[in-house]
Amino acid sequence: MQEPSPSSSKKISAAVARAHTRRNRATTSSSSIKGRLNSILAMFVPIAMALTVGALGWVYQSLKPPPPKICGSPGGPPITSPRVQLRDGRHLAYKEMGVAKEEAKHKLVIIHGFDNSKDINLPIQQELMEELSLYVLTFDRAGYGESDPYPSRSVKSEAYDIEELADKLQIGSKFYVMGISMGAYPAYSCLNYIPHRLAGVALVVPFVHYWWPCLPANLSSDGLQKLLPMDSRAFRVAYYAPWLFHWWMTQKWFPSLSLTAGNMAVFCPQDMEMIAEMSKSPNPHQEKVKQQGVHESLYRDILAGYSKWEFDPTDLINPFPNSEGSVHIWQGTEDRIIPREINRYLAENIPWIQYHEVEDAGHMFIFQKEKVETVLRALVQPGLEA
């Protein structure tokens, strides 16, 4: 084999040297790029981590309700009403009206609705209570007014709160209950958990749960579609994602709930007339309703009502098989808050419930003197037609 000439060797050596130089340059360039990338990452990773932690903290704070301002605690509202202490240490504030309980023939517990209290301004005349020999007990449900908040509040706990309140005040072994609007789910709870304590029940413009298993799917969906879209969305959040409800009710991007947003479109003309009339004599205690926190009063009320119940209304057993008492549903035909079709369906499938549709009446009809009198007479005088 012929050996390369000296000139050829020099050329080969030069080519090899150039190749090494290019590789060294490429290696140096690659190392430089990697160094710059590492520097950029070193700068941005802490920033990204800080942003992530901040976002998670914001989400946590948005989902977490603020602590309540408990009545009688340092910095909390004062206690101005009589209260009883329950077995678990909580207090319920109450108010008594009518005939003295020691003398009354009939004892009635009125369960207030959403954004209301024991000071509900029902036009029940003293003369009527004396005629019917009627003692009336109202109370602040958990978290409302001056009753202590209850984080574990539920449909079931409402019935046992009522029973224990009645026992603490010694109103007797049996009593009537009247649940108004949102206050109807505690009345349903009484029918299920303490039926032996009941003398009669009135469900006035009663709350409906759109996810009760007993309701046909089309009836539930039609009922939801009749609501204002903002209300339909809020109830869906309460049912499907209760952990998100506080954020939903406090966020500013979408309207949350008509009754808290002041959207008067939820009221029919008859209701608007009633609201205008009531505004002439405003309730002086209204400012106390949410004084312990809007979450503890209003939001927990909705969450409890739209939770998954342990029973269905159609599962209830008639507590008065011998007609010694009665159960009534009172529904306004013009009510825009509660779809009458659902309460009508319930009455058709619970034959022992007496169903009354009040013509040309909205959600607020119980605040009319003659209407509340009709409801009370039908309740404590079974068999009396409305």
Side-chain angles (χ1 to χ4, degrees), residues 46-80:
I47 295 175
M49 291 179 65
L51 289 174
T52 301
V53 170
L56 290 174
W58 176 82
V59 169
Y60 175 76
Q61 290 299 324
S62 299
L63 297 178
K64 181 183 178 183
K69 300 177 181 179
I70 300 175
C71 287
S73 65
I79 299 170
T80 62

Side-chain angles (χ1 to χ4, degrees), residues 184-261:
Y185 80 77
Y188 275 120
S189 182
C190 290
L191 282 166
N192 186 71
Y193 295 110
I194 58 168
H196 58 287
R197 301 299 304 273
L198 302 177
V201 178
L203 301 155
V204 181
V205 291
F207 160 92
V208 296
H209 194 315
Y210 299 95
W211 294 273
W212 277 326
C214 67
L215 297 181
N218 64 321
L219 186 61
S220 295
S221 60
D222 289 348
L224 281 167
Q225 288 175 6
K226 289 184 176 181
L227 302 177
L228 294 180
M230 61 195 300
D231 294 342
S232 177
R233 288 192 295 265
F235 298 154
R236 283 187 168 96
V237 172
Y239 179 72
Y240 289 110
W243 53 271
L244 191 63
F245 191 68
H246 177 77
W247 173 83
W248 179 261
M249 292 298 291
T250 54
Q251 53 80 30
K252 305 301 181 184
W253 296 314
F254 307 100
S256 54
L257 188 69
S258 61
L259 291 175
T260 57

